[in-house]
Amino acid sequence: MKNIYCSFFGHDLEVTKKVTYYVKEFMCQQCHEQFTTDESGNLTKLTPQYREINSVLEKIHNKKIRRKSLKAVS
Ligand SMILES: [Zn+2]
């Protein structure tokens, strides 16, 4: 979906999901296109493939956090 505002001013991105410290998912408030940060930190369109990658990253990330907090307790 093309939006005149976006092609003129650029996308008006809002973070919709924090996957890891570095990877986030975004949605444009104007055209509702979705984006994500790829492995090299660039903004790219959120394809179903990236969505899958992000959900795996999120699981790994959450596991790491849990392990860290367990260590802190013991
Ligand atoms: Zn847009």
Side-chain angles (χ1 to χ4, degrees):
M1 192 158 82
K2 272 272 170 187
N3 185 303
I4 295 166
Y5 180 94
C6 291
S7 53
F8 206 79
F9 297 104
H11 293 289
D12 184 13
L13 297 176
E14 196 185 73
V15 176
T16 52
K17 193 175 178 185
K18 284 179 184 168
V19 181
T20 70
Y21 293 123
Y22 308 105
V23 180
K24 293 183 181 81
E25 289 178 8
F26 305 88
M27 190 169 77
C28 176
Q29 299 301 290
Q30 299 298 326
C31 65
H32 297 151
E33 245 188 287
Q34 288 183 291
F35 300 87
T36 186
T37 342
D38 68 11
E39 59 278 0
S40 40
N42 299 312
L43 212 60
T44 182
K45 270 190 191 176
L46 185 63
T47 59
Q49 202 181 349
Y50 267 116
R51 212 184 282 265
E52 216 166 277
I53 292 170
N54 283 355
S55 76
V56 173
L57 281 177
E58 194 182 18
K59 269 179 207 157
I60 296 168
H61 181 68
N62 288 339
K63 246 183 218 169
K64 269 186 195 163
I65 286 177
R66 217 171 291 151
R67 216 173 279 163
K68 250 184 207 167
S69 57
L70 277 177
K71 256 182 201 167
V73 167
S74 58

